Amino acid sequence: MQALTEQHSPFAAAFGKWQSLRKAPAWVAELQLRAFDAYRTDGLPTRKHEAWKYVSLRTLNEVEFGVAPVLLDIRDVKAEISRLLRPEYHNLVFVNGHLAGDLSDPLHLDGLIFAPIADAFESEASLLRPWIERTLTRGDAFTQLNTAFLGNGLLIKIAADSTLTKTLHLIHVNTAEAHLSQTALRHLVHVAQGASLSLVETHVTLGTETKVFTNSLLEASVETNATLKLSRIDHQGAAALHIGRAHVELGARATLESFCFSSGGKLSRHDLDVSLCGEGAEATLNGLYLTKAGQVIDNHTTMRHLVPNAVSRQLYKGILDGDSRAVFNGKVVVSRDAQSTSAQQLNRNLLLSDDAEIDTKPELLIDADDVKCAHGASIGQLTDDQIFYLRSRGLGLEEARRLLTMGFADEVLYKAPVIREWLRPLIAEEYFV
């Protein structure tokens, strides 16, 4: 019993405080209790679980994380994140998990309905309740924890045949005041038939020593002939801990274009689970992760082909430096009825240090006969011939390494037109100067 108590200690006290602070409707409170009980029963996963084979969660058990505070004075935050508040986007800013209206753009757009999820518990109960109840069946400890602390995040609905002219940008900022606390974020996105939405989710931390734990979950339903462009940027401080998941369901002829960029945090993991539920659905997943100085970045994708004539493509690339580690696990599942499936998956990695380590594990699980599926993975380093060629044309050693490394990253960056133009200078500034 003592060992069990110690295992659960990082969140038990915070859950009690969360319940006392939040006065959720009865049906939400009941789901939160069920979720926390489920979490307490199973505890956090260990390296004995296949999905966590390469990553230890010991650092999460070292601290008893509190509830992230509401920051009353946000003037300093605005200065710190000014370069993220881009005019070409609709910017919505969350500080320590709480929507900061003073930092966000006012949104009154035709075809867009959005509301803080806590406000929608009453008005959208018929939509939210079955959506949230379904997450209780997934058996994932972090999903259960996210439900237990449910209350921060947005409900976003795009009306049928509507298109937002600007990208919707959700900026999540953890400040130094949130040190040793945790934030659970839940975004629910519904793109109705024939509609189109471009959504960017950015996570940053102010203060390199700010140790915070973010547990985020995004769930999206994309209906027939609808399009979702989904980008995710995880660029937190060196001490931050982040577990993120996204579940996307695509209807007939629906399209998903996803880009996942990970560069920050002591430990960062993202699971992207896509279900192609309608014939003619098409999903393209691209990603880039950069690690250095003891970081661990862990990416998992699951592509579920459930119907015939659907297409999926994946390209993830990693650049690893110092004594850092990364994991890529890409799984493609083709069900028996999913004939004429086309699925491509590729993971490429560049090691800049002899101490860097990558575990890459592409998987194909195919039950159908008529399919066209392929996967591959590669791990390499910059070669002496490549560097010699550039130095012979007048470049210094570091400039030659920078040019080759950015060239490696550019192949996948150019597949992310929504964020490429401001992400590329950020990468160059942070990693290759």
Side-chain angles (χ1 to χ4, degrees):
M1 179 61 72
Q2 183 179 2
L4 186 64
T5 302
E6 289 174 355
Q7 183 181 21
H8 294 154
S9 63
F11 307 104
F15 182 64
K17 184 176 181 180
W18 180 255
Q19 285 187 304
S20 66
L21 291 174
R22 292 282 181 155
K23 302 301 180 187
W27 68 268
V28 177
E30 189 265 335
L31 289 179
Q32 289 174 320
L33 283 172
R34 284 171 54 192
F36 197 72
D37 284 345
Y39 155 72
R40 289 175 64 91
T41 300
D42 296 331
L44 293 177
T46 70
R47 299 182 74 164
K48 293 181 179 179
H49 295 78
E50 182 64 24
W52 293 88
K53 181 178 179 181
Y54 302 108
V55 175
S56 169
L57 292 173
R58 180 183 303 172
T59 188
L60 265 179
N61 279 312
E62 293 173 346
V63 176
E64 186 168 322
F65 290 96
V67 175
V70 177
L71 192 64
L72 300 178
D73 188 350
I74 57 176
R75 287 173 294 183
D76 291 342
V77 174
K78 187 170 186 178
E80 291 279 354
I81 66 170
S82 58
R83 68 175 178 174
L84 298 176
L85 298 170
R86 303 184 68 84
E88 66 268 30
Y89 297 162
H90 298 298
N91 299 293
L92 298 174
V93 181
F94 292 77
V95 179
N96 298 338
H98 307 282
L99 182 63
D102 291 344
L103 293 174
S104 302
D105 296 333
L107 283 184
H108 302 285
L109 304 172
D110 290 340
L112 169 67
I113 298 174
F114 91 100
I117 195 167
D119 293 347
F121 285 153
E122 297 281 4
S123 60
E124 300 280 354
S126 61
L127 171 66
L128 293 184
R129 185 167 185 167
W131 211 341
I132 296 168
E133 281 183 331
R134 196 170 54 163
T135 63
L136 292 177
T137 65
R138 293 204 175 106
D140 174 341
F142 291 103
T143 298
Q144 308 294 14
L145 274 175
N146 185 283
T147 302
F149 290 92
L150 189 63
N152 291 329
L154 291 178
L155 170 66
I156 301 170
K157 296 167 58 177
I158 307 297
D161 300 317
S162 297
T163 299
L164 296 190
T165 56
K166 288 185 175 182
T167 291
L168 199 59
H169 188 198
L170 311 183
I171 304 172
H172 304 96
V173 185
N174 281 314
T175 68
E177 287 76 7
H179 184 58
L180 301 184
S181 66
Q182 60 117 10
T183 298
L185 296 164
R186 177 79 65 98
H187 299 305
L188 300 173
V189 181
H190 180 222
V191 187
Q193 181 172 326
S196 179
L197 172 66
S198 175
L199 180 66
V200 176
E201 190 183 4
T202 298
H203 297 267
V204 296
T205 304
L206 305 185
T208 57
E209 300 303 319
T210 304
K211 188 169 187 174
V212 294
F213 169 54
T214 302
N215 180 359
S216 70
L217 174 58
L218 183 146
E219 296 188 287
S221 173
V222 187
E223 293 189 344
T224 301
N225 290 324
T227 297
L228 175 62
K229 296 181 180 179
L230 184 63
S231 300
R232 186 175 191 279
I233 299 169
D234 181 5
H235 186 59
Q236 301 195 78
L241 310 170
H242 189 119
I243 305 293
R245 280 137 298 124
H247 297 270
V248 182
E249 291 185 352
L250 298 177
R253 300 176 300 284
T255 301
L256 170 68
E257 297 177 20
S258 167
F259 188 88
C260 183
F261 174 77
S262 306
S263 67
K266 181 178 180 63
L267 167 63
S268 177
R269 167 158 172 152
H270 188 239
D271 288 63
L272 176 54
D273 193 317
V274 180
S275 295
L276 297 101
C277 305
E279 283 202 51
E282 190 167 328
T284 302
L285 312 185
N286 294 306
L288 176 65
Y289 45 92
L290 297 93
T291 63
K292 58 183 180 182
Q295 287 181 295
V296 177
I297 291 182
D298 187 0
N299 275 287
H300 291 241
T301 65
T302 302
M303 190 75 74
R304 304 180 192 276
H305 284 262
L306 304 176
V307 294
N309 301 308
V311 177
S312 68
R313 311 174 193 87
Q314 298 183 59
L315 174 61
Y316 271 68
K317 303 187 82 169
I319 300 173
L320 290 73
D321 203 357
D323 58 343
S324 63
R325 294 186 63 238
V327 179
F328 176 79
N329 188 179
K331 182 185 296 182
V332 176
V333 181
V334 182
S335 68
R336 182 170 300 176
D337 295 331
Q339 302 297 339
S340 300
T341 284
S342 176
Q344 309 293 324
Q345 180 191 98
L346 184 58
N347 175 230
R348 289 176 172 157
N349 298 279
L350 177 62
L351 305 185
L352 300 179
S353 162
D354 292 338
D355 296 324
E357 183 178 342
I358 173 72
D359 293 291
T360 177
K361 184 183 177 186
E363 295 180 75
L364 293 177
L365 303 175
I366 302 173
D367 284 333
D369 300 322
D370 178 19
V371 301
K372 185 185 294 182
C373 298
H375 66 184
S378 66
I379 303 169
Q381 295 179 303
L382 300 179
T383 67
D384 291 340
D385 287 345
Q386 290 172 321
I387 294 174
F388 175 79
Y389 177 83
L390 293 178
R391 297 200 68 183
S392 68
R393 279 148 179 81
L395 274 66
L397 175 60
E398 289 305 314
E399 179 64 11
R401 288 171 58 87
R402 189 194 70 82
L403 191 64
L404 290 167
T405 305
M406 283 303 297
F408 179 82
D410 274 342
E411 180 190 3
V412 69
L413 278 177
Y414 274 91
K415 297 179 182 293
V418 174
I419 58 175
R420 179 184 62 228
E421 297 305 323
W422 64 282
L423 194 57
R424 195 171 186 276
L426 182 150
I427 296 171
E429 176 185 340
E430 295 275 343
Y431 292 89
F432 304 129
V433 174

